[in-house]
PDB file of all heavy atoms in Angstrom:
ATOM      1  N   GLN A   1     174.882 242.546  90.928  1.00 92.00           N
ATOM      2  CA  GLN A   1     175.751 242.567  89.747  1.00 92.00           C
ATOM      3  C   GLN A   1     176.899 243.557  89.977  1.00 92.00           C
ATOM      4  O   GLN A   1     178.068 243.229  89.681  1.00 92.00           O
ATOM      5  CB  GLN A   1     174.915 242.939  88.530  1.00 92.00           C
ATOM      6  CG  GLN A   1     175.718 242.958  87.248  1.00 92.00           C
ATOM      7  CD  GLN A   1     174.837 243.402  86.066  1.00 92.00           C
ATOM      8  OE1 GLN A   1     173.762 243.935  86.268  1.00 92.00           O
ATOM      9  NE2 GLN A   1     175.337 243.134  84.880  1.00 92.00           N
ATOM     10  N   GLU A   2     176.593 244.735  90.465  1.00 94.00           N
ATOM     11  CA  GLU A   2     177.622 245.735  90.722  1.00 94.00           C
ATOM     12  C   GLU A   2     178.631 245.270  91.751  1.00 94.00           C
ATOM     13  O   GLU A   2     179.843 245.401  91.534  1.00 94.00           O
ATOM     14  CB  GLU A   2     176.925 247.022  91.216  1.00 94.00           C
ATOM     15  CG  GLU A   2     177.846 248.193  91.404  1.00 94.00           C
ATOM     16  CD  GLU A   2     177.119 249.435  91.845  1.00 94.00           C
ATOM     17  OE1 GLU A   2     176.211 249.319  92.707  1.00 94.00           O
ATOM     18  OE2 GLU A   2     177.424 250.512  91.338  1.00 94.00           O
ATOM     19  N   ALA A   3     178.169 244.670  92.868  1.00 94.00           N
ATOM     20  CA  ALA A   3     179.081 244.207  93.903  1.00 94.00           C
ATOM     21  C   ALA A   3     179.943 243.041  93.391  1.00 94.00           C
ATOM     22  O   ALA A   3     181.123 242.924  93.736  1.00 94.00           O
ATOM     23  CB  ALA A   3     178.298 243.789  95.119  1.00 94.00           C
ATOM     24  N   PHE A   4     179.382 242.188  92.546  1.00 94.00           N
ATOM     25  CA  PHE A   4     180.129 241.051  91.998  1.00 94.00           C
ATOM     26  C   PHE A   4     181.237 241.528  91.082  1.00 94.00           C
ATOM     27  O   PHE A   4     182.395 241.077  91.199  1.00 94.00           O
ATOM     28  CB  PHE A   4     179.159 240.139  91.242  1.00 94.00           C
ATOM     29  CG  PHE A   4     179.850 238.962  90.597  1.00 94.00           C
ATOM     30  CD1 PHE A   4     180.425 237.959  91.364  1.00 94.00           C
ATOM     31  CD2 PHE A   4     179.867 238.813  89.230  1.00 94.00           C
ATOM     32  CE1 PHE A   4     181.064 236.871  90.801  1.00 94.00           C
ATOM     33  CE2 PHE A   4     180.473 237.739  88.625  1.00 94.00           C
ATOM     34  CZ  PHE A   4     181.072 236.753  89.415  1.00 94.00           C
ATOM     35  N   TYR A   5     180.962 242.468  90.181  1.00 94.00           N
ATOM     36  CA  TYR A   5     181.978 242.900  89.231  1.00 94.00           C
ATOM     37  C   TYR A   5     183.005 243.780  89.892  1.00 94.00           C
ATOM     38  O   TYR A   5     184.201 243.738  89.507  1.00 94.00           O
ATOM     39  CB  TYR A   5     181.346 243.631  88.046  1.00 94.00           C
ATOM     40  CG  TYR A   5     180.656 242.659  87.132  1.00 94.00           C
ATOM     41  CD1 TYR A   5     179.279 242.752  86.896  1.00 94.00           C
ATOM     42  CD2 TYR A   5     181.360 241.658  86.460  1.00 94.00           C
ATOM     43  CE1 TYR A   5     178.645 241.831  86.055  1.00 94.00           C
ATOM     44  CE2 TYR A   5     180.741 240.759  85.637  1.00 94.00           C
ATOM     45  CZ  TYR A   5     179.385 240.856  85.412  1.00 94.00           C
ATOM     46  OH  TYR A   5     178.734 239.982  84.601  1.00 94.00           O
ATOM     47  N   GLU A   6     182.653 244.547  90.876  1.00 95.00           N
ATOM     48  CA  GLU A   6     183.618 245.415  91.566  1.00 95.00           C
ATOM     49  C   GLU A   6     184.326 244.717  92.736  1.00 95.00           C
ATOM     50  O   GLU A   6     185.290 245.247  93.276  1.00 95.00           O
ATOM     51  CB  GLU A   6     182.952 246.670  92.104  1.00 95.00           C
ATOM     52  CG  GLU A   6     182.428 247.589  91.030  1.00 95.00           C
ATOM     53  CD  GLU A   6     181.706 248.801  91.573  1.00 95.00           C
ATOM     54  OE1 GLU A   6     181.640 248.952  92.823  1.00 95.00           O
ATOM     55  OE2 GLU A   6     181.208 249.593  90.791  1.00 95.00           O
ATOM     56  N   GLN A   7     183.847 243.493  93.070  1.00 94.00           N
ATOM     57  CA  GLN A   7     184.397 242.763  94.207  1.00 94.00           C
ATOM     58  C   GLN A   7     184.467 243.598  95.476  1.00 94.00           C
ATOM     59  O   GLN A   7     185.470 243.572  96.226  1.00 94.00           O
ATOM     60  CB  GLN A   7     185.755 242.182  93.858  1.00 94.00           C
ATOM     61  CG  GLN A   7     185.696 240.959  92.944  1.00 94.00           C
ATOM     62  CD  GLN A   7     184.968 239.795  93.592  1.00 94.00           C
ATOM     63  OE1 GLN A   7     185.389 239.258  94.610  1.00 94.00           O
ATOM     64  NE2 GLN A   7     183.829 239.432  93.062  1.00 94.00           N
ATOM     65  N   SER A   8     183.380 244.323  95.727  1.00 94.00           N
ATOM     66  CA  SER A   8     183.316 245.150  96.925  1.00 94.00           C
ATOM     67  C   SER A   8     182.616 244.405  98.069  1.00 94.00           C
ATOM     68  O   SER A   8     181.853 243.479  97.844  1.00 94.00           O
ATOM     69  CB  SER A   8     182.545 246.433  96.612  1.00 94.00           C
ATOM     70  OG  SER A   8     181.272 246.142  96.139  1.00 94.00           O
ATOM     71  N   TYR A   9     182.971 244.825  99.271  1.00 95.00           N
ATOM     72  CA  TYR A   9     182.335 244.202 100.468  1.00 95.00           C
ATOM     73  C   TYR A   9     180.929 244.786 100.593  1.00 95.00           C
ATOM     74  O   TYR A   9     180.713 246.004 100.454  1.00 95.00           O
ATOM     75  CB  TYR A   9     183.150 244.513 101.722  1.00 95.00           C
ATOM     76  CG  TYR A   9     184.386 243.641 101.862  1.00 95.00           C
ATOM     77  CD1 TYR A   9     185.602 244.072 101.412  1.00 95.00           C
ATOM     78  CD2 TYR A   9     184.262 242.375 102.429  1.00 95.00           C
ATOM     79  CE1 TYR A   9     186.732 243.249 101.541  1.00 95.00           C
ATOM     80  CE2 TYR A   9     185.337 241.573 102.557  1.00 95.00           C
ATOM     81  CZ  TYR A   9     186.575 242.008 102.097  1.00 95.00           C
ATOM     82  OH  TYR A   9     187.670 241.190 102.219  1.00 95.00           O
ATOM     83  N   ILE A  10     180.015 243.904 100.893  1.00 94.00           N
ATOM     84  CA  ILE A  10     178.627 244.304 101.087  1.00 94.00           C
ATOM     85  C   ILE A  10     178.031 243.595 102.336  1.00 94.00           C
ATOM     86  O   ILE A  10     178.592 242.614 102.816  1.00 94.00           O
ATOM     87  CB  ILE A  10     177.735 243.934  99.849  1.00 94.00           C
ATOM     88  CG1 ILE A  10     177.821 242.436  99.542  1.00 94.00           C
ATOM     89  CG2 ILE A  10     178.150 244.768  98.637  1.00 94.00           C
ATOM     90  CD1 ILE A  10     176.858 241.970  98.482  1.00 94.00           C
ATOM     91  N   THR A  11     176.923 244.132 102.799  1.00 94.00           N
ATOM     92  CA  THR A  11     176.154 243.499 103.875  1.00 94.00           C
ATOM     93  C   THR A  11     174.824 243.050 103.293  1.00 94.00           C
ATOM     94  O   THR A  11     174.051 243.934 102.799  1.00 94.00           O
ATOM     95  CB  THR A  11     175.977 244.448 105.074  1.00 94.00           C
ATOM     96  OG1 THR A  11     177.264 244.841 105.575  1.00 94.00           O
ATOM     97  CG2 THR A  11     175.204 243.765 106.157  1.00 94.00           C
ATOM     98  N   ILE A  12     174.548 241.781 103.337  1.00 94.00           N
ATOM     99  CA  ILE A  12     173.340 241.229 102.758  1.00 94.00           C
ATOM    100  C   ILE A  12     172.366 240.896 103.911  1.00 94.00           C
ATOM    101  O   ILE A  12     172.760 240.155 104.844  1.00 94.00           O
ATOM    102  CB  ILE A  12     173.607 239.973 101.927  1.00 94.00           C
ATOM    103  CG1 ILE A  12     174.544 240.299 100.791  1.00 94.00           C
ATOM    104  CG2 ILE A  12     172.319 239.371 101.403  1.00 94.00           C
ATOM    105  CD1 ILE A  12     175.053 239.088 100.050  1.00 94.00           C
ATOM    106  N   THR A  13     171.176 241.413 103.844  1.00 93.00           N
ATOM    107  CA  THR A  13     170.133 241.024 104.776  1.00 93.00           C
ATOM    108  C   THR A  13     169.257 240.000 104.021  1.00 93.00           C
ATOM    109  O   THR A  13     168.746 240.303 102.955  1.00 93.00           O
ATOM    110  CB  THR A  13     169.280 242.207 105.220  1.00 93.00           C
ATOM    111  OG1 THR A  13     170.153 243.194 105.799  1.00 93.00           O
ATOM    112  CG2 THR A  13     168.228 241.773 106.252  1.00 93.00           C
ATOM    113  N   TYR A  14     169.100 238.851 104.597  1.00 93.00           N
ATOM    114  CA  TYR A  14     168.303 237.795 103.951  1.00 93.00           C
ATOM    115  C   TYR A  14     167.405 237.110 104.939  1.00 93.00           C
ATOM    116  O   TYR A  14     167.560 237.217 106.173  1.00 93.00           O
ATOM    117  CB  TYR A  14     169.216 236.773 103.214  1.00 93.00           C
ATOM    118  CG  TYR A  14     170.125 235.996 104.088  1.00 93.00           C
ATOM    119  CD1 TYR A  14     169.835 234.722 104.471  1.00 93.00           C
ATOM    120  CD2 TYR A  14     171.362 236.562 104.538  1.00 93.00           C
ATOM    121  CE1 TYR A  14     170.698 233.972 105.255  1.00 93.00           C
ATOM    122  CE2 TYR A  14     172.205 235.826 105.324  1.00 93.00           C
ATOM    123  CZ  TYR A  14     171.871 234.553 105.689  1.00 93.00           C
ATOM    124  OH  TYR A  14     172.718 233.817 106.464  1.00 93.00           O
ATOM    125  N   PHE A  15     166.406 236.389 104.431  1.00 90.00           N
ATOM    126  CA  PHE A  15     165.409 235.725 105.259  1.00 90.00           C
ATOM    127  C   PHE A  15     165.653 234.219 105.225  1.00 90.00           C
ATOM    128  O   PHE A  15     165.629 233.596 104.167  1.00 90.00           O
ATOM    129  CB  PHE A  15     164.038 236.049 104.732  1.00 90.00           C
ATOM    130  CG  PHE A  15     162.917 235.679 105.684  1.00 90.00           C
ATOM    131  CD1 PHE A  15     162.626 236.531 106.738  1.00 90.00           C
ATOM    132  CD2 PHE A  15     162.188 234.526 105.531  1.00 90.00           C
ATOM    133  CE1 PHE A  15     161.615 236.216 107.622  1.00 90.00           C
ATOM    134  CE2 PHE A  15     161.190 234.207 106.399  1.00 90.00           C
ATOM    135  CZ  PHE A  15     160.902 235.038 107.454  1.00 90.00           C
ATOM    136  N   SER A  16     165.963 233.620 106.393  1.00 86.00           N
ATOM    137  CA  SER A  16     166.224 232.218 106.459  1.00 86.00           C
ATOM    138  C   SER A  16     165.773 231.691 107.799  1.00 86.00           C
ATOM    139  O   SER A  16     165.945 232.346 108.832  1.00 86.00           O
ATOM    140  CB  SER A  16     167.711 231.953 106.285  1.00 86.00           C
ATOM    141  OG  SER A  16     168.027 230.586 106.367  1.00 86.00           O
ATOM    142  N   ASP A  17     165.225 230.508 107.829  1.00 80.00           N
ATOM    143  CA  ASP A  17     164.778 229.876 109.064  1.00 80.00           C
ATOM    144  C   ASP A  17     163.815 230.763 109.844  1.00 80.00           C
ATOM    145  O   ASP A  17     163.874 230.909 111.077  1.00 80.00           O
ATOM    146  CB  ASP A  17     165.941 229.493 109.985  1.00 80.00           C
ATOM    147  CG  ASP A  17     166.862 228.486 109.318  1.00 80.00           C
ATOM    148  OD1 ASP A  17     166.353 227.646 108.537  1.00 80.00           O
ATOM    149  OD2 ASP A  17     168.055 228.530 109.568  1.00 80.00           O
ATOM    150  N   ASP A  18     162.880 231.398 109.128  1.00 79.00           N
ATOM    151  CA  ASP A  18     161.846 232.247 109.693  1.00 79.00           C
ATOM    152  C   ASP A  18     162.373 233.447 110.507  1.00 79.00           C
ATOM    153  O   ASP A  18     161.743 233.912 111.436  1.00 79.00           O
ATOM    154  CB  ASP A  18     160.904 231.419 110.585  1.00 79.00           C
ATOM    155  CG  ASP A  18     160.129 230.385 109.854  1.00 79.00           C
ATOM    156  OD1 ASP A  18     159.785 230.668 108.667  1.00 79.00           O
ATOM    157  OD2 ASP A  18     159.858 229.298 110.378  1.00 79.00           O
ATOM    158  N   GLU A  19     163.554 233.951 110.111  1.00 83.00           N
ATOM    159  CA  GLU A  19     164.065 235.147 110.756  1.00 83.00           C
ATOM    160  C   GLU A  19     165.012 235.884 109.788  1.00 83.00           C
ATOM    161  O   GLU A  19     165.535 235.279 108.841  1.00 83.00           O
ATOM    162  CB  GLU A  19     164.749 234.824 112.064  1.00 83.00           C
ATOM    163  CG  GLU A  19     165.983 233.975 111.939  1.00 83.00           C
ATOM    164  CD  GLU A  19     166.596 233.629 113.297  1.00 83.00           C
ATOM    165  OE1 GLU A  19     165.913 233.841 114.335  1.00 83.00           O
ATOM    166  OE2 GLU A  19     167.736 233.142 113.315  1.00 83.00           O
ATOM    167  N   TYR A  20     165.245 237.146 110.091  1.00 88.00           N
ATOM    168  CA  TYR A  20     166.190 237.938 109.288  1.00 88.00           C
ATOM    169  C   TYR A  20     167.596 237.615 109.749  1.00 88.00           C
ATOM    170  O   TYR A  20     167.852 237.509 110.954  1.00 88.00           O
ATOM    171  CB  TYR A  20     165.914 239.423 109.467  1.00 88.00           C
ATOM    172  CG  TYR A  20     164.586 239.863 108.913  1.00 88.00           C
ATOM    173  CD1 TYR A  20     163.493 240.042 109.712  1.00 88.00           C
ATOM    174  CD2 TYR A  20     164.447 240.112 107.533  1.00 88.00           C
ATOM    175  CE1 TYR A  20     162.268 240.446 109.197  1.00 88.00           C
ATOM    176  CE2 TYR A  20     163.221 240.494 107.009  1.00 88.00           C
ATOM    177  CZ  TYR A  20     162.148 240.679 107.847  1.00 88.00           C
ATOM    178  OH  TYR A  20     160.945 241.063 107.347  1.00 88.00           O
ATOM    179  N   GLN A  21     168.499 237.522 108.811  1.00 90.00           N
ATOM    180  CA  GLN A  21     169.917 237.312 109.101  1.00 90.00           C
ATOM    181  C   GLN A  21     170.753 238.236 108.245  1.00 90.00           C
ATOM    182  O   GLN A  21     170.306 238.666 107.146  1.00 90.00           O
ATOM    183  CB  GLN A  21     170.301 235.848 108.864  1.00 90.00           C
ATOM    184  CG  GLN A  21     169.482 234.897 109.725  1.00 90.00           C
ATOM    185  CD  GLN A  21     169.941 233.477 109.645  1.00 90.00           C
ATOM    186  OE1 GLN A  21     171.071 233.197 109.233  1.00 90.00           O
ATOM    187  NE2 GLN A  21     169.108 232.543 110.019  1.00 90.00           N
ATOM    188  N   GLN A  22     171.980 238.530 108.716  1.00 93.00           N
ATOM    189  CA  GLN A  22     172.866 239.393 107.946  1.00 93.00           C
ATOM    190  C   GLN A  22     174.194 238.707 107.719  1.00 93.00           C
ATOM    191  O   GLN A  22     174.616 237.896 108.559  1.00 93.00           O
ATOM    192  CB  GLN A  22     173.083 240.715 108.674  1.00 93.00           C
ATOM    193  CG  GLN A  22     171.946 241.670 108.566  1.00 93.00           C
ATOM    194  CD  GLN A  22     172.307 243.037 108.998  1.00 93.00           C
ATOM    195  OE1 GLN A  22     173.226 243.243 109.830  1.00 93.00           O
ATOM    196  NE2 GLN A  22     171.629 244.042 108.495  1.00 93.00           N
ATOM    197  N   LEU A  23     174.813 239.009 106.590  1.00 93.00           N
ATOM    198  CA  LEU A  23     176.094 238.459 106.224  1.00 93.00           C
ATOM    199  C   LEU A  23     176.921 239.545 105.565  1.00 93.00           C
ATOM    200  O   LEU A  23     176.403 240.251 104.689  1.00 93.00           O
ATOM    201  CB  LEU A  23     175.860 237.261 105.255  1.00 93.00           C
ATOM    202  CG  LEU A  23     177.103 236.490 104.829  1.00 93.00           C
ATOM    203  CD1 LEU A  23     177.727 235.788 106.009  1.00 93.00           C
ATOM    204  CD2 LEU A  23     176.706 235.488 103.769  1.00 93.00           C
ATOM    205  N   HIS A  24     178.141 239.711 105.994  1.00 95.00           N
ATOM    206  CA  HIS A  24     179.029 240.694 105.453  1.00 95.00           C
ATOM    207  C   HIS A  24     180.188 239.981 104.718  1.00 95.00           C
ATOM    208  O   HIS A  24     180.848 239.099 105.286  1.00 95.00           O
ATOM    209  CB  HIS A  24     179.619 241.568 106.568  1.00 95.00           C
ATOM    210  CG  HIS A  24     180.490 242.684 106.085  1.00 95.00           C
ATOM    211  ND1 HIS A  24     179.996 243.801 105.441  1.00 95.00           N
ATOM    212  CD2 HIS A  24     181.832 242.817 106.099  1.00 95.00           C
ATOM    213  CE1 HIS A  24     181.006 244.566 105.120  1.00 95.00           C
ATOM    214  NE2 HIS A  24     182.124 244.019 105.489  1.00 95.00           N
ATOM    215  N   GLY A  25     180.375 240.341 103.461  1.00 95.00           N
ATOM    216  CA  GLY A  25     181.443 239.698 102.710  1.00 95.00           C
ATOM    217  C   GLY A  25     181.429 240.118 101.265  1.00 95.00           C
ATOM    218  O   GLY A  25     180.828 241.117 100.866  1.00 95.00           O
ATOM    219  N   LYS A  26     182.117 239.347 100.408  1.00 95.00           N
ATOM    220  CA  LYS A  26     182.202 239.565  98.976  1.00 95.00           C
ATOM    221  C   LYS A  26     181.461 238.479  98.230  1.00 95.00           C
ATOM    222  O   LYS A  26     181.509 237.310  98.614  1.00 95.00           O
ATOM    223  CB  LYS A  26     183.670 239.554  98.507  1.00 95.00           C
ATOM    224  CG  LYS A  26     184.469 240.736  98.877  1.00 95.00           C
ATOM    225  CD  LYS A  26     185.873 240.590  98.241  1.00 95.00           C
ATOM    226  CE  LYS A  26     186.738 241.762  98.602  1.00 95.00           C
ATOM    227  NZ  LYS A  26     188.051 241.662  97.965  1.00 95.00           N
ATOM    228  N   ILE A  27     180.850 238.872  97.111  1.00 95.00           N
ATOM    229  CA  ILE A  27     180.189 237.867  96.292  1.00 95.00           C
ATOM    230  C   ILE A  27     181.264 237.214  95.425  1.00 95.00           C
ATOM    231  O   ILE A  27     181.938 237.852  94.637  1.00 95.00           O
ATOM    232  CB  ILE A  27     179.102 238.530  95.389  1.00 95.00           C
ATOM    233  CG1 ILE A  27     178.002 239.119  96.279  1.00 95.00           C
ATOM    234  CG2 ILE A  27     178.544 237.483  94.426  1.00 95.00           C
ATOM    235  CD1 ILE A  27     176.953 239.859  95.503  1.00 95.00           C
ATOM    236  N   LYS A  28     181.423 235.914  95.577  1.00 94.00           N
ATOM    237  CA  LYS A  28     182.459 235.185  94.840  1.00 94.00           C
ATOM    238  C   LYS A  28     181.908 234.540  93.578  1.00 94.00           C
ATOM    239  O   LYS A  28     182.655 234.357  92.642  1.00 94.00           O
ATOM    240  CB  LYS A  28     183.081 234.106  95.749  1.00 94.00           C
ATOM    241  CG  LYS A  28     183.917 234.644  96.837  1.00 94.00           C
ATOM    242  CD  LYS A  28     185.097 235.396  96.266  1.00 94.00           C
ATOM    243  CE  LYS A  28     185.955 235.980  97.338  1.00 94.00           C
ATOM    244  NZ  LYS A  28     186.977 236.862  96.837  1.00 94.00           N
ATOM    245  N   ASN A  29     180.653 234.177  93.580  1.00 92.00           N
ATOM    246  CA  ASN A  29     180.079 233.532  92.401  1.00 92.00           C
ATOM    247  C   ASN A  29     178.589 233.833  92.346  1.00 92.00           C
ATOM    248  O   ASN A  29     177.925 233.957  93.357  1.00 92.00           O
ATOM    249  CB  ASN A  29     180.297 232.015  92.471  1.00 92.00           C
ATOM    250  CG  ASN A  29     180.077 231.360  91.145  1.00 92.00           C
ATOM    251  OD1 ASN A  29     179.779 232.009  90.149  1.00 92.00           O
ATOM    252  ND2 ASN A  29     180.205 230.042  91.117  1.00 92.00           N
ATOM    253  N   CYS A  30     178.108 233.971  91.130  1.00 90.00           N
ATOM    254  CA  CYS A  30     176.678 234.207  90.920  1.00 90.00           C
ATOM    255  C   CYS A  30     176.161 233.045  90.075  1.00 90.00           C
ATOM    256  O   CYS A  30     176.525 232.904  88.921  1.00 90.00           O
ATOM    257  CB  CYS A  30     176.509 235.534  90.158  1.00 90.00           C
ATOM    258  SG  CYS A  30     174.854 236.161  90.195  1.00 90.00           S
ATOM    259  N   ARG A  31     175.342 232.159  90.657  1.00 89.00           N
ATOM    260  CA  ARG A  31     174.853 230.964  90.018  1.00 89.00           C
ATOM    261  C   ARG A  31     173.449 231.231  89.495  1.00 89.00           C
ATOM    262  O   ARG A  31     172.460 231.149  90.226  1.00 89.00           O
ATOM    263  CB  ARG A  31     174.823 229.800  91.030  1.00 89.00           C
ATOM    264  CG  ARG A  31     176.100 229.448  91.666  1.00 89.00           C
ATOM    265  CD  ARG A  31     176.946 228.463  90.906  1.00 89.00           C
ATOM    266  NE  ARG A  31     176.189 227.373  90.365  1.00 89.00           N
ATOM    267  CZ  ARG A  31     176.068 226.200  90.891  1.00 89.00           C
ATOM    268  NH1 ARG A  31     176.628 225.913  92.054  1.00 89.00           N
ATOM    269  NH2 ARG A  31     175.379 225.240  90.282  1.00 89.00           N
ATOM    270  N   LEU A  32     173.359 231.530  88.198  1.00 86.00           N
ATOM    271  CA  LEU A  32     172.061 231.812  87.583  1.00 86.00           C
ATOM    272  C   LEU A  32     171.223 230.554  87.393  1.00 86.00           C
ATOM    273  O   LEU A  32     170.000 230.645  87.399  1.00 86.00           O
ATOM    274  CB  LEU A  32     172.259 232.526  86.238  1.00 86.00           C
ATOM    275  CG  LEU A  32     172.952 233.882  86.328  1.00 86.00           C
ATOM    276  CD1 LEU A  32     173.127 234.470  84.932  1.00 86.00           C
ATOM    277  CD2 LEU A  32     172.115 234.857  87.190  1.00 86.00           C
TER     278      LEU A  32
END
């Protein structure tokens, strides 16, 4: 929520395809 409202760059670590992956960027939309 904080990164979305401030439009700050973040690094997200997420789990996909049975491994950890990272993505660096801005959150453009939050789909509840």
Side-chain angles (χ1 to χ4, degrees):
Q1 182 181 15
E2 184 178 42
F4 178 66
Y5 287 118
E6 293 179 3
Q7 284 298 296
S8 57
Y9 283 95
I10 57 172
T11 301
I12 300 172
T13 304
Y14 63 101
F15 194 80
S16 178
D17 298 327
D18 295 325
E19 64 183 13
Y20 294 99
Q21 300 187 20
Q22 284 194 334
L23 183 66
H24 183 73
K26 286 184 181 182
I27 298 176
K28 290 297 179 189
N29 195 3
C30 195
R31 303 271 318 262
L32 297 177

